[in-house]
Amino acid sequence: MDLTERIAAFTELVGPPADVAPAVDWAAVETWLEVTLPRDYKTLVSVYGPVEVGEGPESIRLHTPCVSPDGRFEYGAWVVETHRHSAIRPGMFTRERRRFLPDEGGLLAFAATASGDHLFWDTSVSKDPDEWPVVLLTTSIAVGEAEPWVSYDVPLLDVLSAAVRGGGSVRTWAPLAGAAPWSPPPRGTYVDARQHAALTEGDGLAAVTALIPPPLTPRLGNGTWEQVFDRLGTRLPGDFVALAQAYGAGNWSWWLDMTAPLDLDGRFGLVQDVEEMLEGYRILREAHPEYYPLPAWPEPGGFLPVASTIDGDQIGWCAEGDDPDRWRVAVNPRHADQGPPLDTDFTATLLNWLRGGRPAAEGFPWLRKDQDPLEHMFFEPFPAPLGMSEGGTPEGSAALTRQD
């Protein structure tokens, strides 16, 4: 069976598209990428658009040349950001280095799984793009567990067929429903121009989201903010609430961890994380009050931590006064004395650090002046617990089996 027949068999299997696919100028896209794309991808994308294929955490979300209605997804910027992130991430797990386009023979991102893994074509294998095998970079392993790279040794259509085998469906991926066509930028301009501009322009959440696009499906949990506030005994600053709502659970640049804000009972939810950090802080302060000048929440002016780092630092606020929006950020550094509260709110403190500025608190790492912040920063969403969706609801079993 040739490729045309195999594509026809696949489309007959999954049925007609649910929505009209955004138009794609393939000549312009391939000129911008400087490679010809596989025919199975172009054919399916032209008919179905940005779809989710299969069921469960291993379902495949095709990222296509389009722009989401809310502007959060833009194809060219996504390719650049995915390649940038994927060049950074494996360094924590393996010495194996992979190249990415536009380097000759580099990997080219085209999709992600619901659990956050990235899917690429390996363009080094053949001059014929229809023979490019699929390679996966998993985000679901811990350091020392396994190699992050998984090779399927088959082209895209075979992987998609495996994803729908056994009853998996093909449907428009909700965040990209109603997407508009994508036009490549003029040569000589940054495709991720918003990110470059945000290194020096803007402030608050708008600047953070321009600098690091938030996930299209953040992992939040199934509770409400009112329930969170009730459990903690206080409202939280509005800037933090907006930031947590936009990004959900994840890690900032291999350093700062933020838990699922609305997961009320889970092990990695905000409420339980805060309760555990407060308990540990109280124990330390009782034993060494000279090193921990702030009382612990809910004492007046108490330290209320909401995020932690891979180094064991804790970041939150000095909860002084009745208006949380006036609270100052406070840091409990693991390897230094606790200093006074900062003059910035949570989002401004994060933004300053992401831009490569040196925060006014011990515990924060910072970049050298010769380092480009864009080459070192990212946000990686935490995958939902096994058997659960991003929002915390039960998922079906994975339809795609990895071929190690």
Side-chain angles (χ1 to χ4, degrees):
M1 186 182 295
D2 64 19
L3 179 60
T4 301
E5 292 172 327
R6 291 170 58 224
I7 292 174
F10 179 83
T11 56
E12 183 176 353
L13 174 66
V14 301
D19 300 297
V20 177
V24 179
D25 183 342
W26 291 112
V29 171
E30 291 174 332
T31 297
W32 179 76
L33 290 171
E34 299 181 348
V35 293
T36 300
L37 293 171
R39 285 184 294 158
D40 54 3
Y41 173 79
K42 290 191 289 185
T43 300
L44 294 175
V45 165
S46 296
V47 175
Y48 292 93
V51 292
E52 186 166 16
V53 181
E55 305 293 337
E58 297 300 332
S59 63
I60 297 171
R61 295 164 172 177
L62 284 180
H63 289 64
T64 68
C66 66
V67 179
S68 64
D70 60 9
R72 289 193 298 156
F73 175 86
E74 191 268 342
Y75 173 75
W78 175 80
V79 170
V80 170
E81 176 64 17
T82 302
H83 288 184
R84 181 186 291 138
H85 177 193
S86 300
I88 299 170
R89 187 179 204 285
M92 294 288 289
F93 302 92
T94 180
R95 293 182 179 180
E96 182 180 3
R97 293 291 180 267
R98 296 294 187 99
R99 293 174 298 160
F100 301 87
L101 290 183
D103 290 351
E104 184 176 358
L107 299 177
L108 172 57
F110 67 87
T113 68
S115 60
D117 298 337
H118 302 312
L119 291 165
F120 307 84
W121 289 295
D122 185 349
T123 71
S124 69
V125 171
S126 173
K127 296 293 185 182
D128 182 357
D130 293 336
E131 297 181 0
W132 290 345
V134 173
V135 175
L136 178 143
L137 172 62
T138 181
T139 61
S140 304
I141 62 170
V143 176
E145 279 188 354
E147 280 291 312
W149 295 105
V150 180
S151 296
Y152 290 107
D153 297 325
V154 293
L156 171 62
L157 189 59
D158 289 12
V159 174
L160 296 181
S161 297
V164 298
R165 194 173 296 134
S169 65
V170 174
R171 58 210 171 274
T172 301
W173 186 32
L176 297 184
W182 175 74
S183 298
R187 285 193 172 276
T189 61
Y190 287 119
V191 69
D192 54 347
R194 288 180 60 196
Q195 289 179 281
H196 284 270
L199 283 171
T200 56
E201 300 172 5
D203 53 28
L205 182 61
V208 175
T209 57
L211 200 58
I212 301 182
L216 295 176
T217 52
R219 182 185 159 203
L220 301 175
N222 286 334
T224 67
W225 282 107
E226 291 303 323
Q227 289 173 309
V228 171
F229 300 156
D230 183 64
R231 286 277 297 273
L232 295 178
T234 179
R235 301 188 71 82
L236 297 178
D239 76 285
F240 174 82
V241 170
L243 178 76
Q245 186 75 30
Y247 287 89
N251 173 273
W252 295 86
S253 301
W254 285 121
W255 184 66
L256 179 64
D257 287 339
M258 291 180 63
T259 48
L262 304 182
D263 186 344
L264 301 176
D265 301 307
R267 178 184 172 193
F268 300 107
L270 175 64
V271 169
Q272 183 167 327
D273 198 46
V274 170
E275 292 171 348
E276 291 178 355
M277 287 191 288
L278 277 173
E279 181 181 1
Y281 183 80
R282 291 189 186 99
I283 293 172
L284 290 172
R285 189 168 190 270
E286 289 174 3
H288 304 285
E290 66 276 19
Y291 300 129
Y292 302 91
L294 294 179
W297 170 262
E299 295 182 54
F303 178 55
L304 176 56
V306 289
S308 60
T309 77
I310 61 171
D311 298 318
D313 313 296
Q314 297 171 346
I315 303 172
W317 303 275
C318 172
E320 187 174 26
D322 297 330
D323 183 1
D325 290 329
R326 299 178 67 87
W327 290 350
R328 294 175 294 167
V329 169
V331 180
N332 175 27
R334 181 180 179 185
H335 300 294
D337 295 343
Q338 188 177 35
L342 308 181
D343 294 328
T344 52
D345 62 23
F346 194 98
T347 304
T349 303
L350 174 67
L351 179 61
N352 183 50
W353 172 64
L354 291 171
R355 285 172 166 170
R358 183 171 180 174
E362 295 292 337
F364 280 77
W366 62 88
L367 299 177
R368 301 190 310 266
K369 290 184 177 180
D370 61 338
Q371 291 178 307
D372 180 356
L374 288 179
E375 298 298 328
H376 296 270
M377 66 179 190
F378 57 87
F379 179 82
E380 182 173 286
F382 290 148
L386 187 63
M388 306 294 284
S389 69
E390 289 119 334
T393 54
E395 283 277 20
S397 60
L400 176 62
T401 301
R402 294 179 186 165
Q403 303 172 18
D404 293 300

